[in-house]
Amino acid sequence: MDKFIDRKNTSSVKWDGMKAVFGKDDLLPMWVADMDFRPPEPVLEAMKHRLGHGIFGYTIVGECTENAIVSWIKKRHRWEIKPAWLMYSPGVVPSIGTAIQAFTEPGDKVLLQSPVYTPFFNMIENNMREVVNSPLQMKNGRYEIDFNDFEEKLKSGVKLFLLCSPHNPGGRVWTKDELVTMAELCRKYGVIIASDEIHADLVAPPFKHIPIGSLEPSYADFTLTFMAPSKTFNLAGLQSSFMVVPNEDMRKKISGIHMKEGFFTLNTFGTIAMEAAYLHGEQWLDDVLAYIRSNIEFVKTELAANLPELEVIEPEGSYLIWIDCSKTGLEDKELREKLLEKGKLAVNFGDAYGPGGENFIRLNIACHRSIVEEGLKRLKQAFS
């Protein structure tokens, strides 16, 4: 991790795709949620070995890969799942789209909790469903759920609830009590839960990620859990993810959508990388989590000393820092101009995450410390 790797000219969205998003490419990229770290060496070796074979026909997800996923989830998240529950997808966002198509009809209501990962809104709207929002409440620098509002929204005829756990961009790791309350209310009103848990592995002590479907066997019956090695091991470009779907009837509905889409198998190298990562990547991940935590503490210390008007929302999970800029007095447009024009810094701007995201920025610190240091200099420059 403590080695800078130049990613320019690799067709990287993060490093080479800024002009299309921000209108300029002379920026320091601390936006897209991928790391600047090389994956575990056993993953690279497994891919090299497969490359040496030289034939890359259609590839099944075999028993070894399934067992690697099952073992990983049991060890890291204390959830014993069955291989038969596993279904596959190119990514968590496509999985969300599949769930929306499988369990709702055009015009149906789908619940989310803003501010939240932008594709939640996009996938609901692109599939001609209605967004129903139960906004999270910021209390003492930490997001909480307004359960009265949550229940009122469920009562309105919601069919599907998109849960972000751990939360992106706010970094909350939901507690057992919070998860149980959400699950019980969804059961009460007959609402299916689709839980995006892509950041599940990026939680460091004392916090602990709990898959909502693991809390009680009956919850698993109306819960879809979306996971992937992509964020955990920096494999997003290989486009391999999986769903945990214990309910057989729900699996049949998902299979029906996959048939309509023409999807039937994963990328060859994505499958190989996923298996190798879950079998051999644990020590690498623990080292990465320690490095990320060090970067988070560095950002908190530096901002407190040099830019106290910027408030860091403590990330309990993920490598994304959600920063409240409201005390600067700048509107979102002014904030954007300051950071892009004066600071030359590419971040994700909070207004894209729905109501409650205004005046926030999201900073990706899964990178070499020198990039973090330069990013903070540019933040200071932007607000000077």
Side-chain angles (χ1 to χ4, degrees):
M1 271 65 71
D2 206 17
K3 177 184 177 184
F4 176 76
I5 298 174
D6 188 356
R7 294 182 63 191
K8 291 180 181 176
N9 303 313
T10 62
S11 298
S12 161
V13 170
K14 182 177 179 180
W15 285 84
D16 300 322
M18 288 184 288
K19 188 160 186 141
V21 177
F22 300 105
K24 48 177 61 253
D25 54 12
D26 59 341
L27 309 170
L28 183 72
M30 297 185 75
W31 60 302
V32 173
D34 69 12
M35 305 185 193
D36 288 340
F37 308 138
R38 283 166 62 95
E41 197 60 34
V43 172
L44 301 178
E45 289 301 320
M47 293 172 70
K48 289 176 187 176
H49 179 75
R50 184 65 180 82
L51 180 65
H53 182 268
I55 298 176
F56 314 110
Y58 298 118
T59 304
I60 61 171
V61 180
E63 187 176 333
C64 289
T65 305
E66 291 179 339
N67 289 339
I69 295 169
V70 170
S71 296
W72 179 266
I73 292 176
K74 181 179 180 180
K75 184 172 185 180
R76 299 293 290 201
H77 305 298
R78 300 176 184 175
W79 188 18
E80 293 195 39
I81 68 169
K82 297 178 181 179
W85 298 354
L86 294 171
M87 305 186 78
Y88 300 94
S89 166
V92 165
V93 174
S95 294
I96 291 170
T98 296
I100 290 170
Q101 293 174 49
F103 302 108
T104 67
E105 299 292 336
D108 280 351
K109 295 180 178 182
V110 180
L111 179 68
L112 50 69
Q113 299 164 305
S114 75
V116 73
Y117 184 46
T118 308
F120 277 34
F121 291 94
N122 298 341
M123 295 311 295
I124 296 169
E125 292 166 349
N126 292 346
N127 282 286
M128 297 179 291
R129 274 62 168 177
E130 179 183 342
V131 173
V132 177
N133 184 20
S134 180
L136 298 172
Q137 307 297 308
M138 180 69 75
K139 295 183 180 179
N140 299 317
R142 191 169 185 257
Y143 281 117
E144 294 184 5
I145 299 164
D146 180 344
F147 283 110
N148 289 328
D149 182 73
F150 185 81
E151 183 169 11
E152 286 301 315
K153 298 296 170 59
L154 291 177
K155 283 181 186 177
S156 71
V158 166
K159 300 295 183 184
L160 181 70
F161 166 43
L162 299 183
L163 170 63
C164 197
S165 177
H167 183 256
N168 173 16
R172 267 303 312 277
V173 174
W174 305 115
T175 65
K176 181 178 179 180
D177 287 346
E178 288 170 322
L179 293 168
V180 166
T181 303
M182 286 188 280
E184 287 292 343
L185 287 170
C186 285
R187 173 157 61 184
K188 179 178 179 180
Y189 294 101
V191 175
I192 292 171
I193 300 172
S195 185
D196 171 0
E197 303 191 12
I198 198 169
H199 293 279
D201 297 320
L202 297 164
V203 175
F207 303 101
K208 184 70 179 176
H209 173 75
I210 305 171
I212 192 167
S214 72
L215 287 168
E216 186 182 309
S218 63
Y219 294 169
D221 215 36
F222 58 92
T223 300
L224 312 163
T225 304
F226 305 148
M227 292 180 165
S230 51
K231 303 297 183 194
T232 308
F233 299 104
N234 204 26
L235 304 174
L238 297 179
Q239 299 191 319
S240 292
S241 79
F242 59 92
M243 315 177 208
V244 182
V245 190
N247 184 293
E248 184 178 1
D249 289 337
M250 293 173 76
R251 292 199 299 272
K252 288 178 180 177
K253 288 185 177 181
I254 290 171
S255 293
I257 299 301
H258 281 168
M259 285 192 289
K260 290 179 180 179
E261 295 170 339
F263 172 78
F264 77 103
T265 191
L266 292 178
N267 174 287
T268 300
F269 286 97
T271 303
I272 289 165
M274 179 158 57
E275 179 182 321
Y278 286 142
L279 287 176
H280 308 295
E282 189 165 34
Q283 184 59 57
W284 178 94
L285 175 59
D286 289 341
D287 292 343
V288 163
L289 289 174
Y291 194 91
I292 288 170
R293 177 44 58 183
S294 174
N295 277 350
I296 290 171
E297 293 302 321
F298 178 74
V299 170
K300 287 167 56 183
T301 300
E302 290 296 308
L303 289 186
N306 299 302
L307 288 168
E309 65 272 30
L310 302 187
E311 183 181 354
V312 172
I313 306 305
E314 181 78 27
E316 299 170 356
S318 90
Y319 47 75
L320 306 167
I321 301 183
W322 190 234
I323 301 175
D324 185 352
C325 305
S326 59
K327 290 181 181 176
T328 64
L330 299 173
E331 298 294 331
D332 287 305
K333 183 179 179 182
E334 297 172 297
L335 192 61
R336 187 180 299 269
E337 289 174 355
K338 289 273 189 184
L339 287 166
L340 297 180
E341 303 296 334
K342 195 174 178 183
K344 301 294 182 182
L345 181 65
V347 299
N348 292 104
F349 293 96
D351 54 355
Y353 298 85
E358 302 86 357
N359 302 123
F360 280 84
I361 60 173
R362 193 188 76 170
L363 197 70
N364 178 353
I365 50 82
C367 52
H368 192 266
R369 175 60 65 85
S370 63
I371 297 293
V372 179
E373 291 172 350
E374 178 63 24
L376 294 180
K377 286 180 184 176
R378 295 186 184 215
L379 264 181
K380 188 175 180 180
Q381 178 178 311
F383 293 111
S384 65

